[in-house]
């Protein structure tokens, strides 16, 4: 009896506990559901289910979300717009995979940079500079600045232990690597990319066996740089026996890589355009683009099936090289617009992650140093291993005076000995070649010897009328006894030989002279000083430049024509004064003075052309003056230029010049001088300025339009 009562009581208690447990479970569920509903307003077009309020997987943490970013060059800027929308929606990102530009955006996003920070970052970059190997103009010595202001293309090759580097791509990517290393501060060592704030992987292609190579570890900046190594454009990266280039050749949309890394949900963005028709392939650029797109199709369709939400950004009208400010702005905006069209899908995914509408993903903080602007003018540490360097440069110029000219230069520097050899070849109506060898000494000093040959075919004018034409060869041998090159200044002391060999001279009928000038030669002593602190080779807005030279000419090392030798003194000084953000005032003062007897015609002062030494070593510029015109022994001039920057690459130049000249220095200011004016428009291209100028000079008395393209040489 007692036992039976005990069983009854025990069973009743069990029923009570079961009932209470069910009641508490139901109450907990109602409270949780009501809290969810109260925390997030109902979407007007859909009901909220249990699947929306609770994670689908409750046995472990929140499902992992991956973002996949395709390659596409500049078009990949659209990825930033996509990321901005994902952040706005509060979607947490655990894994990032990318290819080419997608690896750059994705790698920076993985170290903690926000989409907003990425947006600001890409807009403030000088992309033409980044996509080159040029150094900042002000950071180079004067020889480096001269090369940068003369040639549109320069390439440096290094030879170390029989291995030639940098030969298989136009761009080595030095500036990009400096930027990547800076932006990944705190993650610059070799490491596993799983340890980044967001797990990361990117894709490259091994062209040795045409296989995919996935970066899961290593130096992050190097992995990003490797993934975007477009064959033929960027130098490949060697890793052991692998030669790695752009990952788009094998896997331009690595969703499979994200799945392999454990992603439960994949969000992907691709900037690859729609398939082209036969009518679309009407020119060389479209055919080349199609070849790239076809190669980038590997695995694309299969990987697209692995994607839960796919964004296909409309990039029509833009290509892989569209790095202009307007293009970047448009591409980022289009990325945002494409993601916003999928807003309901994004929010539905957020619910499946067990997050409320108002809940935000935790913000990551990049290293503080990464957010500071990078000073590219600061010197970069050079490799400690000695290597030989060969720098080749190319410049092309067109103008209405000489038509087409091309100049090439090459410089070889020994990494084991302080020795360098430089060669220059100029092809055109007036061609030349030079060879120089220099031995570097401590404190920036160099001893050198060189030879140059130049052929000239020139028309000479007087008062705007053609006076004669001369064809002649100029031989020059030079021994540089002291050449000091330090930062903004060079000093040079040299012994020179100049020989002039006249082939023909044709005089105009009005000249009344038919005597061919005699061949001549000179031995001379030179001392020169050059200073330059301008911030740019073209269109500077601040800084100054100064040049001065003294030379003593003889025909036997001591005298000339049985009397003392004659002297040349020339100098020029220009300063750039910014008046506003767009307007710069540039006064220029210059002159050339000759002292002595029997000064030969070839060493007199000539005017014409836009820069010093345009055709002849002794030639001075003058606004509105385009012909080669001989002037008096003593010549001084002043020029005032207003430089107005319309946009980043568009400039308007207004010049006015005044000169005084006379064969007697004491009378140089006594007579009426000459004046000239000129207006020019210039567009800065990668080949040099494209410009058109209209000028008039009182000495030549004709209004003349000239057009040019290319750097000065």
């Amino acid at each position: 009896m007692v036992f039976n009562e005990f069983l009854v009581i025990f069973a009743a208690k069990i029923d009570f506990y079961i009932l209470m447990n069910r009641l508490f479970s139901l109450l907990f569920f109602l409270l949780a559901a009501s809290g969810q509903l109260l925390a997030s307003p109902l979407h007007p077009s859909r009901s909220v289910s249990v699947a929306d309020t609770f994670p689908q997987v409750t046995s472990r943490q929140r499902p992992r979300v991956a973002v996949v970013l395709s390659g596409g060059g500049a078009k990949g800027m659209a990825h930033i717009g996509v990321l901005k929308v994902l952040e706005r929606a509060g979607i947490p990102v655990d894994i990032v995979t990318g290819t080419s530009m997608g690896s750059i955006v994705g790698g920076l996003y993985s170290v903690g940079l926000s989409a907003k920070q990425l947006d600001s970052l890409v807009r403030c970059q000088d992309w033409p500079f980044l996509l080159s190997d040029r150094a900042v103009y002000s950071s180079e010595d004067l020889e480096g600045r001269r090369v940068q202001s003369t040639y549109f293309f320069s390439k440096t090759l290094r030879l170390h232990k029989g291995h030639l580097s940098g030969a298989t791509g136009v761009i080595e990517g030095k500036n990009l690597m400096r930027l990547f290393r800076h932006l990944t501060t705190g993650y610059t060592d070799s490491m596993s990319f799983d340890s980044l704030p967001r797990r990361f992987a990117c894709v490259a292609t091994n062209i040795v066996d045409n296989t995919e190579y996935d970066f899961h570890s290593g130096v992050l900046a190097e992995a990003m740089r490797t993934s975007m190594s477009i064959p033929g454009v960027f130098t490949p990266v060697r890793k052991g026996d692998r030669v790695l280039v752009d990952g788009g050749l094998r896997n331009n949309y690595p969703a499979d890589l994200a799945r392999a890394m454990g992603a439960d949900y994949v969000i992907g963005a691709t900037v690859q355009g729609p398939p082209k028709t036969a009518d679309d392939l009407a020119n060389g650029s479209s055919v080349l683009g199609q070849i790239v797109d076809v190669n980038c199709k590997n695995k694309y369709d299969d990987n697209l099936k692995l994607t839960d939400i796919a964004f296909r950004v409309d990039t029509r009208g833009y290509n892989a090289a569209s790095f202009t400010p307007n293009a970047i702005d448009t591409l980022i905006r289009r990325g945002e617009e494409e993601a916003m069209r999928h807003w309901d899908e994004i929010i539905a995914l957020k619910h499946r992650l067990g997050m409320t509408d108002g809940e935000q993903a935790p913000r990551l903080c990049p290293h503080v140093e990464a957010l500071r602007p990078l000073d590219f003018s600061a010197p970069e540490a050079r490799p400690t291993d000695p290597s030989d360097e060969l720098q080749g440069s190319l410049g092309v110029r067109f103008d209405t005076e000489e038509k087409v000219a091309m100049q090439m230069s090459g410089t070889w520097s020994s990494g084991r000995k302080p020795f360098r050899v430089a060669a220059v070849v100029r092809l055109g109506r007036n061609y030349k070649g030079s060879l120089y060898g220099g031995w570097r000494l401590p404190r920036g000093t160099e001893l050198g010897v060189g030879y140059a040959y130049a052929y000239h075919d020139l028309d000479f004018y007087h008062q705007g009328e053609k006076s004669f034409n001369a064809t002649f060869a100029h031989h020059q041998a030079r021994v540089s006894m002291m050449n000091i090159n330090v930062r903004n200044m060079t000093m040079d002391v040299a012994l020179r030989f100049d020989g002039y060999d006249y082939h023909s001279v044709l005089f105009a009928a009005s000249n009344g002279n038919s005597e061919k000038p005699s061949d001549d030669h000179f031995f001379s002593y030179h001392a020169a000083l050059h200073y330059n602190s301008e911030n740019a080779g073209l269109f500077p807005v601040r800084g100054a430049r100064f040049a001065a030279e003294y030379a003593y000419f003889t025909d036997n090392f001591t005298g000339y024509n049985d009397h003392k030798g004659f002297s040349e003194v020339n100098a020029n000084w220009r300063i750039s004064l910014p008046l506003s953000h767009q307007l710069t005032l540039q006064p220029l003062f210059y002159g050339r003075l000759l002292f002595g007897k029997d000064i030969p015609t070839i060493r007199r002062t000539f005017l014409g052309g836009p820069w010093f030494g345009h055709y002849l070593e002794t030639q001075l510029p003058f606004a509105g003056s385009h012909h080669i015109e001989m002037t008096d022994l003593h010549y001084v001039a002043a020029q005032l230029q207003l430089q107005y920057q319309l946009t980043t690459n568009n400039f308007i130049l207004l010049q006015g010049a005044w000169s005084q000249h006379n064969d007697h220095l004491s009378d140089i200011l006594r007579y009426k001088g000459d004046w000239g004016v000129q207006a020019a428009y210039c567009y800065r291209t990668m080949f040099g300025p494209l410009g058109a100028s209209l000028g008039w000079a009182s000495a030549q008395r004709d209004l003349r339009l000239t057009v040019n393209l290319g750097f000065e040489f």
Side-chain angles (χ1 to χ4, degrees):
M1 181 69 180
V2 175
F3 182 71
N4 290 336
E5 290 179 356
F6 174 77
L7 289 177
V8 171
I9 294 171
F10 182 74
K13 288 184 177 182
I14 290 182
D15 291 338
F16 175 78
Y17 289 137
I18 293 174
L19 178 62
M20 292 300 295
N21 184 59
R22 290 178 177 176
L23 289 173
F24 276 116
S25 298
L26 180 61
L27 180 62
F28 178 80
F29 171 78
L30 292 174
L31 288 173
S34 62
Q36 180 80 7
L37 295 175
L38 291 172
S40 56
L42 289 175
H43 196 285
S45 62
R46 60 189 293 270
S47 61
V48 179
S49 66
V50 175
D52 293 322
T53 57
F54 284 92
Q56 291 182 329
V57 182
T58 58
S59 59
R60 60 173 174 84
Q61 288 184 323
R62 170 185 56 75
R64 289 184 288 262
V65 179
V67 167
V68 180
L69 306 176
S70 76
K75 295 185 294 183
M77 298 293 181
H79 297 323
I80 298 174
V82 170
L83 293 175
K84 290 171 72 174
V85 174
L86 294 180
E87 288 188 352
R88 193 179 307 151
I91 298 295
V93 178
D94 309 290
I95 300 168
V96 182
T97 64
T99 300
S100 196
M101 181 58 78
S103 74
I104 297 172
V105 175
L108 298 179
Y109 196 61
S110 295
V111 300
L113 288 170
S114 67
K116 183 179 180 180
Q117 289 168 333
L118 289 173
D119 185 299
S120 300
L121 176 69
V122 300
R123 293 178 189 271
C124 70
Q125 299 303 318
D126 183 354
W127 287 101
F129 171 77
L130 284 176
L131 297 171
S132 73
D133 294 325
R134 293 186 293 112
V136 174
Y137 183 82
S138 59
S139 69
E140 297 205 274
D141 58 22
L142 293 195
E143 175 60 21
R145 299 180 202 183
R146 185 194 65 79
V147 171
Q148 193 175 126
S149 302
T150 305
Y151 304 100
F152 77 90
F153 171 77
S154 289
K155 175 68 176 175
T156 300
L157 306 177
R158 293 182 178 87
L159 180 64
H160 179 60
K161 296 181 179 180
H163 176 67
L164 188 65
S165 64
T168 51
V170 177
I171 304 170
E172 193 173 345
K174 294 188 294 184
N175 292 328
L176 279 173
M177 274 298 294
R178 288 192 68 179
L179 180 65
F180 294 166
R181 284 194 292 266
H182 172 73
L183 295 175
T184 58
T185 298
Y187 306 95
T188 53
D189 296 330
S190 183
M191 59 184 297
S192 170
F193 297 161
D194 287 344
S195 61
L196 296 174
R198 294 184 176 96
R199 295 174 62 197
F200 176 70
C202 62
V203 180
T205 301
N206 181 18
I207 56 175
V208 173
D209 56 7
N210 194 30
T211 57
E212 178 180 333
Y213 183 87
D214 300 329
F215 278 95
H216 293 276
S217 62
V219 178
L220 179 59
E222 184 180 272
M224 294 158 57
R225 159 67 178 86
T226 305
S227 183
M228 55 147 289
S229 300
I230 303 171
V233 178
F234 288 95
T235 302
V237 176
R238 294 179 178 271
K239 193 175 182 66
D241 58 354
R242 304 179 182 91
V243 180
L244 304 176
V245 299
D246 196 300
L249 297 179
R250 295 301 304 167
N251 193 353
N252 198 46
Y253 181 73
D256 57 338
L257 187 57
R259 290 290 187 184
M261 294 171 66
D264 298 295
Y265 295 102
V266 173
I267 304 172
T270 177
V271 294
Q272 196 162 339
K276 293 183 176 65
T277 66
D279 294 335
D280 297 327
L281 304 175
N283 52 57
S285 61
S286 62
V287 172
L288 180 60
Q290 178 70 355
I291 294 172
V292 174
D293 287 345
V294 169
N295 279 280
C296 291
K297 279 286 188 179
N298 287 307
K299 303 171 67 173
Y300 175 76
D301 293 332
D302 291 336
N303 281 344
L304 199 60
K305 297 175 183 177
L306 302 175
T307 307
D308 296 283
I309 303 177
F311 306 120
R312 299 177 180 88
V313 184
D314 178 12
T315 59
R316 286 175 297 181
Y318 300 96
N319 55 48
S322 300
F323 285 99
T324 64
N326 288 338
I328 292 173
D329 180 74
T330 301
L331 288 165
I332 293 176
R333 176 177 55 79
R334 287 188 183 181
E336 287 189 75
E337 292 171 350
E338 171 63 16
M340 287 302 299
R341 282 191 281 270
H342 297 261
W343 181 258
D344 288 347
E345 294 179 62
I346 296 172
I347 298 302
L349 173 62
K350 186 176 182 179
H351 293 163
R352 288 195 293 273
L353 298 176
M355 301 176 66
T356 66
D357 283 349
E359 188 177 353
Q360 292 292 314
R363 292 190 175 272
L364 305 179
C365 297
H367 199 282
V368 176
E369 285 296 323
L371 300 177
R372 296 174 180 171
L374 174 59
D375 182 12
F376 280 96
S377 64
E380 189 177 22
R382 294 180 61 87
T384 55
D385 295 335
S387 60
D388 296 342
E389 288 189 357
L390 176 63
Q391 181 185 53
S393 303
L394 174 66
V396 178
R397 179 175 176 83
F398 167 84
D399 61 57
T400 49
E401 295 293 317
E402 195 183 14
K403 306 310 181 205
V404 179
M406 179 174 67
Q407 184 163 294
M408 298 168 287
S409 73
T411 302
W412 174 81
S413 303
S414 173
R416 298 170 298 279
K417 296 180 180 179
F419 189 77
R420 71 182 181 101
V421 176
V424 178
V425 176
R426 184 186 191 275
L427 303 177
R429 179 182 175 187
N430 298 281
Y431 55 86
K432 69 178 182 181
S434 65
L435 183 65
Y436 172 86
W439 190 271
R440 296 187 296 271
L441 301 177
R443 302 181 182 241
T445 304
E446 184 176 87
L447 304 179
V449 59
Y451 169 78
Y453 173 86
Y455 175 82
H456 298 281
D457 182 356
L458 302 173
D459 295 325
F460 293 83
Y461 287 72
H462 179 69
Q463 296 292 319
E465 299 291 332
K466 185 183 292 187
S467 179
F468 64 94
N469 171 270
T471 59
F472 59 95
H474 179 199
H475 303 266
Q476 185 183 99
R478 179 185 181 94
V479 177
S480 181
M481 296 173 289
M482 184 182 69
N483 189 326
I484 301 176
N485 190 354
V486 290
R487 187 67 178 171
N488 293 336
M489 184 177 65
T490 63
M491 294 182 289
D492 184 49
V493 177
L495 173 65
R496 231 172 70 177
F497 167 82
D498 291 270
Y500 295 90
D501 180 15
Y502 293 92
H503 298 169
S504 66
V505 178
L506 300 176
F507 293 94
S510 58
N511 190 301
N513 191 350
S514 61
E515 182 181 355
K516 176 183 176 182
S518 60
D519 298 339
D520 214 339
H521 71 273
F522 309 98
F523 297 98
S524 56
Y525 309 90
H526 290 255
L529 172 67
H530 293 264
Y531 172 84
N532 190 330
S533 63
E534 294 179 333
N535 69 310
L538 293 171
F539 315 115
V541 296
R542 60 183 181 274
R545 72 180 187 193
F546 174 80
E549 183 176 11
Y550 171 81
Y552 184 75
F553 282 80
T554 72
D555 58 8
N556 60 6
F557 292 100
T558 58
Y560 179 74
N561 285 353
D562 299 323
H563 50 72
K564 292 183 179 180
F566 61 93
S567 299
E568 298 180 1
V569 179
N570 64 83
N572 64 81
W573 175 75
R574 184 179 80 174
I575 187 171
S576 297
L577 304 170
L579 302 181
S580 69
H581 181 66
Q582 295 174 289
L583 187 63
T584 304
L585 179 67
Q586 295 173 326
L588 169 66
F589 305 95
Y590 59 100
R592 191 166 183 267
L593 309 177
L594 302 175
F595 303 94
K597 299 180 180 179
D598 300 336
I599 295 176
T601 300
I602 196 64
R603 296 306 309 177
R604 294 176 72 97
T605 299
F606 296 87
L607 301 181
W611 67 87
F612 295 92
H614 182 39
Y615 294 119
L616 295 171
E617 183 183 27
T618 61
Q619 189 173 350
L620 304 181
F622 193 74
S625 178
H626 306 281
H627 306 309
I628 301 175
E629 186 156 341
M630 188 170 64
T631 187
D632 296 323
L633 295 180
H634 305 292
Y635 183 93
V636 294
Q639 177 178 286
L640 193 63
Q641 175 172 282
L642 279 175
Q643 173 182 288
Y644 184 78
Q645 185 174 2
L646 290 170
T647 62
T648 302
N649 294 309
N650 291 273
F651 297 84
I652 292 178
L653 306 176
L654 301 177
Q655 296 175 346
W658 180 266
S659 69
Q660 296 285 149
H661 48 92
N662 200 285
D663 280 342
H664 302 283
L665 185 60
S666 58
D667 295 331
I668 195 170
L669 299 177
R670 188 170 295 182
Y671 300 96
K672 181 181 179 181
D674 294 321
W675 60 275
V677 293
Q678 185 165 288
Y681 163 79
C682 293
Y683 177 75
R684 183 166 51 192
T685 75
M686 64 173 294
F687 302 103
L690 172 62
S693 61
L694 186 66
W696 190 91
S698 61
Q700 298 181 357
R701 303 173 186 175
D702 65 338
L703 188 65
R704 195 170 184 89
L705 173 68
T706 61
V707 178
N708 70 272
L709 172 63
F711 294 107
E712 302 167 356
F713 55 75

